[in-house]
Amino acid sequence: MAVEKKPVKIMETVLRDAHQSLIATRMTTEQMLPIIDKMDKVGYHAVECWGGATFDASLRFLHEDPWMRLRKLRDGFKNTKLQMLFRGQNILGYRPYADDVVEYFVQKSIANGIDIIRIFDCMNDLRNLQTAVSAANKEKGHAQVALSYTLGDAYTLDYWTTMAKRIEEMGADSICIKDMAGLLVPYKATELVTALKEATDLPIQLHTHYTSGVASMTYLKAVEAGVDIIDTAMSPFAMGTSQPATEVMVETFKGTPYDTGLDQNKLAEIADYFRPMRDEALDTGLLNPKNLGVNIKTLLYQVPGGMLSNLTSQLKEQHAEDKYYDVLEEVPRVRKDLGECPLVTPSSQIVGTQAVFNVLMGERYKMVTKETKDVLAGKYGATVKPFNPEVQKKCIGDTEPITCRYADLLEPELPKLEKEIEQWKQQDEDVLTYALFPQVAVDFFKYREAQQTKVDPAAADKKDGAYPV
């Protein structure tokens, strides 16, 4: 009896998450453009090329307009869908924005060439996703809601399937399991994908990182369980804190019912193009070889790869690198105090920074960041478990935590932002750039006005920073 064919689809991350994970999002538009024509002929389900940290890094380190990058990529990709990563009510920034900014950003993203918007919330609070999903629906874009995968008593199969049903009801077109720290192990992937396929009719996509060393095996089991799409990276920018290699996964499923149908010869040409870029990044120190290894501590502490490098740099600045393991052990404790939230941007930075303070101060929560206070005050959304009441009291005193969606308390922001940006505005999108990163945006606008159309590569920032997912 012939086995029913169910080709798995491939979403390529080399133009976004792969270089974000390995070389701090420093790939320039100029480096991307020459290979687009070949990538467009592969037959990818989609290419992820925008969102996440690319927006910030383009402005801050590369002196590039991210909107211009998107338009150039759209011009080059004639046959392939373009995908972006979007942090729900936080958009691509680190604070919750008013609904008018979220809606306008979605509208402009789609108008400039994005087909699929992957929308997630660091707390998995669906209230923080609804505005973006509705806006994508309105603009005829594909709204994919990503569940930030994490471990803990509360994160049962029942939790995930209930979330999936609610996501379907809110108008999403597909669901992504976003395993930002590489915590999903192979047989758990079988269970999770099977349960989600039974709970919903929406396509299921799986995104993971190789950090803990199990990602390829996890993909194999997930595909056998019925996952529709997997995220992979071209081999020069694969593995380590990035995704499994595209070519390896294509070869794995060749000749099986899940055969992708992608041509290894075409993929080899693309890999040849990116390999010198990877080698140069290794030579200049932009790619830290440590990021290419397996870090099993990910499974112990649930710390995403990008967050690990953040912690390292914070401790280095404080001349306290000997406290690294103390901080790693403090991270799960802080996470538990803060309602056992998933660790993904921006919650990963918030928890990580607070863990550093707790260790360096010698007393837990002696020094508390504004962001930690905001989490405990309910501004980032509802957590799956209650906050530690003693910690909450110590950090925010008698402040009454909010229980509504925080954005409901925000006045529309666009009129004020338009006024502030008046002297710099050259395109509608500039107001959104300014909304997300006011100071960085103004610096970029001044640079742009000076008509330096091409940044000198020698002058570009090559410092190895950390941009978690």
Side-chain angles (χ1 to χ4, degrees):
M1 195 176 87
V3 181
E4 187 193 348
K5 287 192 175 179
K6 192 185 181 297
V8 64
K9 295 172 182 171
I10 299 283
M11 202 276 281
E12 175 60 60
T13 69
V14 73
L15 300 185
R16 205 284 296 177
D17 199 11
H19 74 102
Q20 178 173 317
S21 297
L22 292 180
I23 59 167
T25 332
R26 297 297 202 277
M27 198 183 289
T28 65
T29 305
E30 213 166 87
Q31 287 176 307
M32 297 174 184
L33 294 178
I35 196 63
I36 284 176
D37 187 53
K38 281 183 178 164
M39 289 181 71
D40 196 34
K41 293 183 171 73
V42 167
Y44 290 121
H45 164 71
V47 169
E48 188 191 43
C49 62
W50 212 60
T54 61
F55 200 93
D56 183 3
S58 295
L59 295 163
R60 195 185 299 266
F61 302 118
L62 306 175
H63 298 162
E64 287 187 6
D65 180 358
W67 298 100
M68 194 64 76
R69 172 182 293 188
L70 177 53
R71 288 175 205 134
K72 286 178 177 176
L73 292 171
R74 180 71 281 166
D75 286 346
F77 281 107
K78 313 285 187 199
N79 310 300
T80 310
K81 287 180 176 173
L82 300 185
Q83 183 163 326
M84 74 173 289
L85 183 66
F86 193 97
R87 298 180 190 133
Q89 213 65 32
N90 299 333
I91 311 179
L92 304 179
Y94 304 100
R95 70 168 177 89
Y97 294 88
D99 286 340
D100 63 336
V101 181
V102 175
E103 288 162 352
Y104 195 39
F105 203 101
V106 170
Q107 184 203 325
K108 283 296 182 186
S109 300
I110 292 171
N112 280 280
I114 289 295
D115 299 291
I116 303 166
I117 303 187
R118 176 178 291 172
I119 309 158
F120 78 97
D121 177 66
C122 70
M123 301 291 178
N124 282 336
D125 186 341
L126 300 187
R127 297 175 304 174
N128 292 333
L129 304 178
Q130 186 65 68
T131 299
V133 169
S134 299
N137 292 158
K138 186 182 172 192
E139 299 301 322
K140 305 286 187 283
H142 179 110
Q144 178 178 89
V145 168
L147 285 166
S148 298
Y149 182 77
T150 192
L151 304 174
D153 299 343
Y155 298 100
T156 60
L157 277 182
D158 189 48
Y159 168 85
W160 297 117
T161 54
T162 301
M163 292 289 273
K165 287 170 188 164
R166 288 175 62 198
I167 287 166
E168 190 165 20
E169 286 162 12
M170 72 194 283
D173 298 295
S174 62
I175 294 173
C176 173
I177 305 161
K178 180 177 167 57
D179 179 24
M180 57 280 171
L183 301 175
L184 184 61
V185 293
Y187 287 99
K188 288 292 179 190
T190 301
E191 284 178 20
L192 180 58
V193 171
T194 303
L196 290 178
K197 293 299 281 185
E198 284 171 6
T200 174
D201 293 326
L202 295 181
I204 307 290
Q205 186 157 349
L206 178 55
H207 171 94
T208 191
H209 289 250
Y210 218 98
T211 324
S212 61
V214 300
S216 292
M217 293 183 283
T218 296
Y219 276 170
L220 176 63
K221 299 307 287 183
V223 169
E224 288 175 351
V227 93
D228 300 281
I229 310 152
I230 53 174
D231 293 6
T232 63
M234 287 307 303
S235 55
F237 283 95
M239 316 286 276
T241 50
S242 178
Q243 279 75 48
T246 304
E247 305 97 304
V248 173
M249 298 317 300
V250 166
E251 197 62 26
T252 298
F253 297 116
K254 199 173 176 182
T256 74
Y258 315 108
D259 197 326
T260 63
L262 303 194
D263 184 340
Q264 287 285 22
N265 293 320
K266 286 179 181 169
L267 294 174
E269 287 182 44
I270 297 165
D272 288 344
Y273 177 80
F274 284 109
R275 199 166 290 109
M277 246 181 259
R278 193 266 313 268
D279 294 343
E280 187 193 349
L282 277 167
D283 292 342
T284 60
L286 189 57
L287 173 50
N288 186 333
K290 283 182 184 171
N291 290 346
L292 295 172
V294 166
N295 194 326
I296 200 65
K297 288 191 173 60
T298 298
L299 294 174
L300 298 176
Y301 303 116
Q302 299 199 36
V303 177
M307 184 180 168
L308 280 174
S309 45
N310 253 358
L311 293 178
T312 312
S313 61
Q314 284 179 1
L315 290 171
K316 200 172 183 179
E317 281 170 24
Q318 301 296 324
H319 306 291
E321 288 161 281
D322 60 318
K323 302 286 188 191
Y324 180 66
Y325 290 103
D326 295 335
V327 170
L328 276 187
E329 284 172 17
E330 176 64 5
V331 165
R333 291 194 285 263
V334 174
R335 176 178 175 247
K336 197 170 183 185
D337 292 338
L338 269 51
E340 220 168 85
C341 56
L343 295 180
V344 64
T345 303
S347 59
S348 51
Q349 289 92 323
I350 296 168
V351 169
T353 303
Q354 190 59 55
V356 169
F357 280 138
N358 287 1
V359 169
L360 296 187
M361 290 288 147
E363 180 190 325
R364 302 186 77 230
Y365 304 102
K366 183 178 182 181
M367 184 183 280
V368 185
T369 66
K370 177 188 178 294
E371 289 77 14
T372 297
K373 289 177 182 175
D374 285 347
V375 168
L376 292 166
K379 291 184 180 180
Y380 280 89
T383 50
V384 66
K385 283 203 164 177
F387 300 128
N388 179 331
E390 289 170 21
V391 169
Q392 193 176 31
K393 178 79 174 167
K394 184 172 182 177
C395 295
I396 65 169
D398 295 326
T399 304
E400 188 67 34
I402 65 163
T403 53
C404 67
R405 184 185 74 119
Y406 180 59
D408 289 338
L409 307 175
L410 300 176
E411 295 291 326
E413 294 183 64
L414 282 173
K416 179 174 172 280
L417 293 165
E418 288 280 10
K419 208 172 175 63
E420 289 173 10
I421 191 115
E422 227 163 6
Q423 71 177 107
W424 305 109
K425 188 174 174 181
Q426 290 184 19
Q427 57 180 353
D428 288 345
E429 291 79 1
D430 285 346
V431 71
L432 293 166
T433 303
Y434 177 74
L436 264 51
F437 304 104
Q439 189 53 58
V440 175
V442 169
D443 290 345
F444 172 73
F445 296 151
K446 286 177 182 171
Y447 170 87
R448 183 175 66 183
E449 207 163 79
Q451 291 186 319
Q452 288 171 277
T453 50
K454 188 177 174 188
V455 65
D456 173 11
D461 185 340
K462 294 281 186 189
K463 191 180 172 197
D464 185 12
Y467 279 87
V469 182

